[in-house]
Amino acid sequence: MDRAIVRAHLGPLADKPHMALAIAQLGEPGSADTIPTPAAVIDLDAFDRNVARMAARAKAAGLALRPHAKSHKCAALIRRQLAAGAVGVCCAKLAEAEALAAAGIGQILVTSPIAGASSASRAARLAASLPDFRIVVDHPDAAAELGAAATSPIQVVIDIDVGMGRTGCHDAEQAAAVARAVLSQPNLRLLGVQGYGGAWQHMEGANARASAVAEGMQKLTAAIAAVRGVRGTVNVVTGGGTGTFAADTAQGVLNEVQPGSFAFMDTEYRDALKADPDGEFEQAATIVSTVITANHPKWVTLDAGLKAFSTDGPMPRPLTPRFAACRYRFFGDEHGMLSRPEGAPVARGERIALAPGHIDPTLDRYDVFHLVQDGVLVDIVRVDARGASQ
């Protein structure tokens, strides 16, 4: 990758001293070991293999693949997913969609409902500017707000609560009411329904996930019938995630899937999926840290602490082979504690890669991803929608 192109892409970030150091090493042998830490590092070959594997699974199942960008919020990685066969991407929030649209991504589904006239106006602007913008609704008032804001047609999908109770129409009657409201708006185009079981994704055991999905798909099927009963179009049935792909495929209700974490993986998914086919993806994303103090006889101190990882999942897990049996714990905002490997000295300055506990909120802590192949830093890309939660 040309360093001038990388600097131009990174904009003002490229002028930061630590970024300038990394850019200067681009393409150099062993440059992966010179990245200033803590750093979010993507093994690009593993990422591409994960993307290709999921694309092949979706194609074999006859499903459209719309990976969720909330996992990485990065236009450069989305382009690789689109090139591998994805029909578009999902965003959790309008601000994510706005940031990615500004970076040139044109096929976006916003998977969380919005509320209020100002949010509806933002959605209308996206719909008018993108070739394929979609957004979910789960209340008649949302249809009215979008209809009032629309200056051109807006494609909408009705969100259905399939058991989590977080968002979506609670039952078939509510789904029918929302469908009628959408159909009453001349500038809204009803595409179908969404049913996402977030609570199912990390259930341990394929049988447990399959049982939960089967129950949820009954609710989604009832909602589909209700929408069609009021003459609503249901051409798109979207949902699912990394942990439920096999179960979603077996049920045969969805025709589009929204997995996100598969491209990177984390310890939460590893612990839940184990050897199940849904877990057969490589650990492509790591947080690389440095031993900054090795004075204590029982542990060493890393430069990656609470600010380097999300804290809502399992502890980060060391991946560097000689530290694989060591245990990490948080040691403050800036620091991590790692137990020493048995019978082996640890040097100040050693670098250790760790798998995050929960990938999505961990990656959102970083301005850039460092893309690495065979020990070489080959690119540095912006996390375009970092912190875009509005």
Side-chain angles (χ1 to χ4, degrees):
M1 175 61 67
D2 185 277
R3 293 171 188 171
I5 294 174
V6 172
R7 280 193 290 268
H9 174 67
L10 295 178
L13 289 174
D15 295 329
K16 294 185 176 183
H18 68 285
M19 290 303 306
L21 286 171
I23 292 169
Q25 292 297 311
L26 272 169
E28 297 296 326
S31 52
D33 291 331
T34 67
I35 299 168
T37 64
V41 174
I42 309 295
D43 182 324
L44 194 56
D45 291 334
F47 172 85
D48 284 341
R49 287 191 292 267
N50 286 345
V51 168
R53 180 177 180 82
M54 184 59 84
R57 294 182 82 193
K59 183 177 181 179
L63 298 171
L65 176 61
R66 186 181 292 272
H68 218 304
K70 70 182 177 68
S71 296
H72 55 80
K73 302 186 173 189
C74 173
L77 296 184
I78 290 172
R79 292 188 186 97
R80 300 181 83 90
Q81 293 176 309
L82 293 172
V87 298
V89 296
C90 298
C91 290
K93 298 292 186 70
L94 280 175
E96 283 181 12
E98 289 163 342
L100 293 174
I105 304 302
Q107 307 87 14
I108 296 173
L109 165 65
V110 175
T111 58
S112 298
I114 60 173
S118 61
S119 293
S121 294
R122 290 165 61 195
R125 285 193 291 272
L126 283 167
S129 64
L130 297 182
D132 185 7
F133 175 77
R134 307 169 179 201
I135 189 167
V136 303
V137 296
D138 69 353
H139 194 279
D141 290 352
E145 290 166 353
L146 282 173
T151 57
S152 59
I154 302 176
Q155 300 180 111
V156 299
V157 175
I158 298 175
D159 188 25
I160 309 300
D161 175 13
V162 291
M164 191 174 182
R166 184 170 63 186
T167 67
C169 300
H170 180 67
D171 51 40
E173 290 75 19
Q174 287 184 5
V178 174
R180 285 192 291 266
V182 171
L183 295 171
S184 72
Q185 295 292 331
N187 267 335
L188 299 188
R189 303 290 182 266
L190 179 57
L191 298 181
V193 299
Q194 171 182 272
Y196 172 64
W200 309 334
Q201 301 305 317
H202 298 105
M203 285 183 173
E204 187 170 343
N207 290 338
R209 294 194 301 278
S211 177
V213 170
E215 184 177 346
M217 290 303 103
Q218 290 179 357
K219 296 179 180 180
L220 187 58
T221 299
I224 291 170
V227 171
R228 287 177 171 156
V230 297
R231 299 185 179 180
T233 299
V234 184
N235 289 333
V236 173
V237 184
T238 186
T242 295
T244 59
F245 185 92
D248 292 329
T249 301
Q251 287 297 312
V253 178
L254 302 179
N255 59 23
E256 179 180 279
V257 288
Q258 306 176 356
S261 298
F262 74 92
F264 309 98
M265 295 303 287
D266 58 26
T267 61
E268 193 168 28
Y269 268 115
R270 293 277 176 234
D271 292 345
L273 304 183
K274 295 184 171 63
D276 295 345
D278 290 325
E280 293 179 352
F281 295 93
E282 300 175 53
Q283 187 65 49
T286 60
I287 303 303
V288 176
S289 64
T290 300
V291 176
I292 58 171
T293 298
N295 295 339
H296 198 280
K298 293 184 178 180
W299 59 73
V300 298
T301 301
L302 308 182
D303 61 0
L306 289 165
K307 293 179 181 177
F309 300 96
S310 71
T311 59
D312 61 325
M315 285 290 177
R317 191 165 296 163
L319 297 174
T320 303
R322 81 186 201 93
F323 295 97
C326 300
R327 296 184 63 184
Y328 174 96
R329 58 170 284 191
F330 293 112
F331 213 12
D333 292 351
E334 317 297 344
H335 306 120
M337 174 194 292
L338 190 69
S339 61
R340 287 177 175 270
E342 290 289 335
V346 180
R348 172 179 165 273
E350 284 197 60
R351 299 166 72 88
I352 300 171
L354 300 102
H358 185 183
I359 194 68
D360 298 9
T362 293
L363 294 185
D364 191 51
R365 282 162 157 74
Y366 293 87
D367 291 320
V368 301
F369 298 146
H370 297 79
L371 308 186
V372 169
Q373 289 178 302
D374 296 325
V376 177
L377 176 63
V378 297
D379 202 356
I380 305 171
V381 296
R382 291 186 53 169
V383 182
D384 301 273
R386 183 195 174 186
S389 59
Q390 297 77 27

